[in-house]
Structures are given as C-alpha cells and as structure tokens.
Amino acid sequence: MADQDLAELLHQQAMNLHDEGDEDLALQTYHRALELDWSRPSTHYNIGLIHKYRREWAESLKHNRLAVELDPQDEASNWNLAIAATALRDWRTAREVWQRLGLKIEAGDTPIEADFGMTPVRLNPDEKSEVVWARRIDPVRARLINIPYAESGACHGDVFLHDGAAVGHREHEGREYPVFNALELFEPSADSTYEARLRVGDQADVEELITLLEERRIAVEDWSRSVYILCKQCSEGTPHEHHDAPAASPPEPGNERLVAIAGPHEDAIRQVLTEWSDDSRSLLELECTLAADEFEED
C-alpha cells in the first residue's frame, strides 16, 4: 500500500477514534498519518481542532498554521488559526487571518477592540450551560452584557473567547443571532454578582430601581421576569429573547421580586437601594453570590 493511501486509512481511523471519545489515541493516529504524508491539510486541521477544545493553544496554532499554509483558502483552518492566535495574544497573526478572510481589520500587533455587534454566548457548553448576551469586540471575543447566574462562574463584563461555529440561534427584536460556545475566559471584569430580594408595591417600583442603578452605570436585571429555562435541544435551536438559566427558580411571591445587580462596589449598590426604599418598598436581602476575585480559570 502506498504511503498516501495508508495515511488516508490512518486519518479515517483517527476520526473514528475521536468520534468515540478517545482523543489521545486519535492524536497518536493522526501523527502516524503525518509521518507518511506530512502535506495533508485535513490531518493538521483535525489535530489543531482537538488541541483547540483542549485549550492547548500553541499546538492548535502550530497545526492550523500548517493547514493554512497547505490550503490557504480553507475557511475553517483560518478561523481556528485566528482563535488560537487570539488566545495566545498573537495579534499580528490574528489580524493577518481576519484580513485574509475579508474582514475590515487593520494590520498591526495590538489587541482588537471594535464593535462587531451583539451575540449570544453559551457559557460552560459541556456542562449546565447558560446562554447570555454579549457584545463582540472582535470576531472571536465578546464582553458579557447580561448578568450570568453565579453557578456559571462568569460575571457581567467578562470577556470570553468563543468558538467560530454557531450552535443554535436566539431571536432579539425580530432578528436572529447565532449562538457561539464560550471557549475560555479571556479577561475578567471587576464586577461581582449580587442578588437582591425586594418587597415592592408593583412593577413600577422595580422599574424605578432599575433606572436609579443604570443612571449610576450599575448593571441590573429583573430576574423575576427575564430568565427562562431551556432543555439542551431547545438551547441549541432557536428560542426567543434574553438568556436561559441553568436551573429553574421558584416563582416569586406577588409582592417580592428577585433582581440581579453587578458592580465592583457593594457600598455603591446599597446606597442606591437605600435611596430607593420607603414605607411601601424595601430591600429584604442582598447577597453577593459571586465575587469578581473568586473566579479562577481551570
């Protein structure tokens, strides 16, 4: 059997091993294929793919770069090369790739900080995932604008590196947006997550508190109204607006509301709550459920 034919056979075996969940043996088999035929872009791409999801960025960059050198027009290899370069803060390579893909990004070696619009991001996609809205600052990084549940380990304002392939969609104001799976925390924010349980007279009291907090540039969400639960199949499909939570919350009593607040200073949040409170409405409990400095990457 010719070397190229044997390399193809090994490549197919490695793909099957990967599908079966044996990544280590798959990688060994892919490398055996490369020993016989180094110039196989698909093999380099598949190796780079495994390393991407393992967050082994140097190896992912190496093999995606080789795949691109062998097949410069392959879009998937280019995207994964840019993702690995971004994870490694190799801005020159990332910018070169985005330019090659036709995106309006200038050459250089500084971080990309632009506005690529809103996007939903799925946190912890392999576990109890939560989809939140974010604003993309480059093609594969997004800053969270929702307040995630504390169980996600993520805070409002965190910047996440996300994948390039969409998994499902979300609708907002009549428009569909692709959902991207988060790969890793890229830059943590200074905000902590607080849950405030309120006694209110009606919804207007909650809206007034939201206005007061937003005037002070403190993020806030009415969790009694804004969060809903999706099964895995629906989460990866096309449900409606806002973010879906990892677990159902019990309904609030008629005169109580659960509000999420995100900010760096608890004193500033309490001050607003004190100003807002009167005889008909008040704070029942304020709990910091995730301090910004508690999050540690794996």
Side-chain angles (χ1 to χ4, degrees), residues 197-200 273 276-284:
R197 193 167 297 279
L198 311 173
R199 178 179 62 85
V200 300
L273 287 164
W276 168 83
S277 298
D278 60 25
D279 292 340
S280 64
R281 62 196 191 191
S282 61
L283 172 68
L284 299 175

Side-chain angles (χ1 to χ4, degrees), residues 185-205:
L185 177 68
F186 188 90
E187 179 184 324
S189 79
D191 286 351
S192 297
T193 303
Y194 297 85
E195 294 184 19
R197 193 167 297 279
L198 311 173
R199 178 179 62 85
V200 300
D202 54 31
Q203 185 61 25
D205 291 336

Side-chain angles (χ1 to χ4, degrees), residues 89-96 106-112:
R89 279 70 170 173
D90 181 354
W91 301 112
R92 183 170 296 278
T93 296
R95 287 174 179 269
E96 289 173 354
E106 296 179 354
D109 55 10
T110 57
I112 302 165

Side-chain angles (χ1 to χ4, degrees), residues 170-189:
R170 292 294 183 275
E171 183 179 308
H172 177 69
E173 296 182 350
R175 176 182 168 185
E176 280 193 353
Y177 293 81
V179 181
F180 297 104
N181 286 345
L183 292 171
E184 68 177 15
L185 177 68
F186 188 90
E187 179 184 324
S189 79

Side-chain angles (χ1 to χ4, degrees), residues 6 27 29 31 103 105 128 198 229 232 251 276:
L6 183 54
L27 283 173
T29 308
H31 281 289
L103 299 179
I105 294 176
K128 290 184 178 179
L198 311 173
I229 313 304
K232 178 177 173 62
W276 168 83

Side-chain angles (χ1 to χ4, degrees), residues 10-11 13-14 17 24-34:
L10 289 168
H11 180 92
Q13 289 177 355
L17 289 165
D24 290 336
L25 188 53
L27 283 173
Q28 293 175 26
T29 308
Y30 279 131
H31 281 289
R32 286 173 57 200
L34 288 180

